[in-house]
Amino acid sequence: MKHSLISAALAFSLGGTAGLAQDMAFGSDADRDYAAEIWTYMQDSKLAGPNMIRTSPYEGTDPHGMMLETFYTTATINGREGDLIVKRNFGPVGVTEDEVLRDPDTHLAAHTIMFRREAGYDPENGDWFWVKYLPDGSLDQTPDGMAMAGQVAKGMDEGCIACHQGAGDDMVFTSDHLAN
């Protein structure tokens, strides 16, 4: 009896997780394709890749990294221009500005991106499209294998959108100059 209850609880839990994963607002094929377009733009604009523009890193915090570089620009993705914020995330914990300046490629952990899409994409969250790339341009994934592209963690208590809602209407902590 006890084994049956545990099995039933496990099946319910896994079934609930599978259903939740299917309802996620991110990680779809379309999200991955859109993220690939952004990565291509970033490489062409030298915001990513082997010849990327560098700047002085500054102290950061989790979840982005202990040292950061941030770029604000506009980009045209699939024929539509929007605000683009590129944040390079360096680590590990304890890394210093001097260490990142000496060997940035060794310390680069990820690129986290916000791109403002067309009006109506996600109006309650500023129409932002969120992406987390690994240093090689591949998409990072959640522990359950969801690609971190699109409306990442929308409706959840933690994650990109939940955190950035605390920044106000524009959802940007470091700047309030971006128009909605």
Side-chain angles (χ1 to χ4, degrees):
M1 171 86 168
K2 183 177 180 182
H3 183 268
S4 296
L5 289 174
I6 292 171
S7 296
L10 181 59
F12 177 75
S13 172
L14 291 175
T17 301
L20 179 63
Q22 291 173 350
D23 295 336
M24 291 294 215
F26 65 96
S28 68
D29 289 343
D31 290 334
R32 289 191 296 275
D33 291 346
Y34 203 84
E37 293 292 326
I38 295 172
W39 184 258
T40 297
Y41 176 87
M42 289 171 43
Q43 287 183 304
D44 292 347
S45 300
K46 301 202 181 312
L47 294 169
N51 297 315
M52 70 180 109
I53 300 164
R54 298 286 182 176
T55 188
S56 293
Y58 61 94
E59 190 173 331
T61 61
D62 279 334
H64 290 288
M66 298 302 101
M67 297 299 294
L68 305 170
E69 291 178 336
T70 304
F71 298 86
Y72 300 89
T73 189
T74 57
T76 301
I77 307 297
N78 290 341
R80 192 212 165 269
E81 185 176 81
D83 297 317
L84 175 65
I85 302 172
V86 176
K87 186 171 294 218
R88 295 190 196 132
N89 309 245
F90 298 96
V93 171
V95 71
T96 66
E97 179 180 356
D98 288 339
E99 290 171 319
V100 171
L101 287 169
R102 272 195 306 274
D103 194 3
D105 293 336
T106 295
H107 296 287
L108 181 62
H111 301 265
T112 49
I113 309 304
M114 294 171 66
F115 176 71
R116 192 181 310 272
R117 290 193 55 166
E118 66 280 355
Y121 168 72
D122 186 9
E124 61 271 11
N125 295 302
D127 294 316
W128 289 108
F129 182 89
W130 311 80
V131 186
K132 184 176 182 186
Y133 302 99
L134 298 175
D136 66 359
S138 61
L139 292 173
D140 199 0
Q141 296 183 354
T142 64
D144 63 351
M146 296 289 294
M148 294 182 72
Q151 297 172 15
V152 178
K154 182 174 180 166
M156 299 177 143
D157 293 335
E158 294 181 354
C160 299
I161 293 173
C163 181
H164 279 261
Q165 285 174 334
D169 290 341
D170 72 356
M171 301 187 80
V172 179
F173 285 103
T174 57
S175 172
D176 57 10
H177 73 276
L178 298 173
N180 281 325

